[in-house]
Amino acid sequence: VEENGEIIYWNAGTGWGFNICEGCGRAEIATGPKEVSKQMEKHSNLWGGTCDRPSIKTNVVLTGRHQTVYSALRIKENAKNAGFSKDRTLLNSLGVILCRSLASLIGVDESELDYGLKKEGSYYVLYVFDTHKGGCGYASYLLDPKNLEKALDKSLDLLNGYTCDCDKENHGACAKCLVDKKSQHSLDLLSKRR
């Protein structure tokens, strides 16, 4: 658990960043180094008129920082294997359900917790963190192995209580189980069965 942790977000578009007009704020996804589309060179501003001060910065990576409290979980591949999990679907699914169960156990709204994955070497680490800026300490609940076990047991109870057949039909996940407004963007990386 990191009490003064920092989550760093970045968006590099499709790899080359973004081209952004400093005059009006219009942006486009960059397609190469210092490449600007014809539409961007003579673009309209965001209010409908022609941009009268086009000054385009190329290959900009968008970033942000969020100071918070988080817990890092390294999940074993299996009981016999000494390695950690490389299965992003398993870890995303665990992230969704663990945040739900933890919120339920400590009596806070699910929006107070979120998760992320970070690749470390050949495996992924699951981070559960407080969404409130500065952190409230909710994620630190997982520091105690007994609390982690309670959260994992609650996660299993929640999964078993969902009425969908995603686990039997191997459909991944649906709105009755793991898919919600936060997790919908990872739909292809969610599975009730795993």
Side-chain angles (χ1 to χ4, degrees), residues 104-119:
S104 174
L105 284 171
I106 60 178
V108 299
D109 192 84
E110 287 179 23
S111 66
E112 297 284 333
L113 294 157
D114 207 351
Y115 76 95
L117 301 182
K118 181 176 184 251
K119 189 161 184 152

Side-chain angles (χ1 to χ4, degrees), residues 90-100 114-115 126-128:
L90 169 71
L91 295 172
N92 272 288
S93 302
L94 181 58
V96 170
I97 199 67
L98 193 56
C99 287
R100 284 184 192 168
D114 207 351
Y115 76 95
L126 171 64
Y127 290 90
V128 176

Side-chain angles (χ1 to χ4, degrees), residues 6-148:
E6 195 169 67
I7 306 290
I8 299 174
Y9 299 93
W10 75 92
N11 186 342
T14 57
W16 294 100
F18 297 86
N19 299 329
I20 300 176
C21 176
E22 294 180 303
C24 71
R26 179 159 304 276
E28 71 174 7
I29 294 175
T31 57
K34 308 258 183 217
E35 289 181 18
V36 177
S37 71
K38 298 270 188 229
Q39 294 88 357
M40 189 68 169
E41 287 176 358
K42 295 188 180 197
H43 64 275
S44 58
N45 64 31
L46 299 174
W47 307 275
T50 303
C51 181
D52 55 358
R53 320 173 268 158
S55 171
I56 300 170
K57 277 210 163 263
T58 59
N59 308 109
V60 176
V61 175
L62 305 176
T63 62
R65 295 167 27 167
H66 178 81
Q67 189 164 0
T68 190
V69 175
Y70 68 85
S71 289
L73 303 169
R74 289 170 183 83
I75 308 300
K76 289 284 204 172
E77 191 72 38
N78 58 53
K80 298 175 187 173
N81 187 341
F84 295 110
S85 182
K86 301 170 190 163
D87 187 342
R88 290 176 57 209
T89 300
L90 169 71
L91 295 172
N92 272 288
S93 302
L94 181 58
V96 170
I97 199 67
L98 193 56
C99 287
R100 284 184 192 168
S101 64
L102 179 56
S104 174
L105 284 171
I106 60 178
V108 299
D109 192 84
E110 287 179 23
S111 66
E112 297 284 333
L113 294 157
D114 207 351
Y115 76 95
L117 301 182
K118 181 176 184 251
K119 189 161 184 152
E120 289 191 4
S122 64
Y123 62 90
Y124 289 92
V125 177
L126 171 64
Y127 290 90
V128 176
F129 61 92
D130 297 359
T131 57
H132 183 67
K133 192 172 184 175
C136 296
Y138 304 141
S140 63
Y141 181 86
L142 299 175
L143 178 62
D144 183 335
K146 289 180 184 175
N147 291 341
L148 177 58

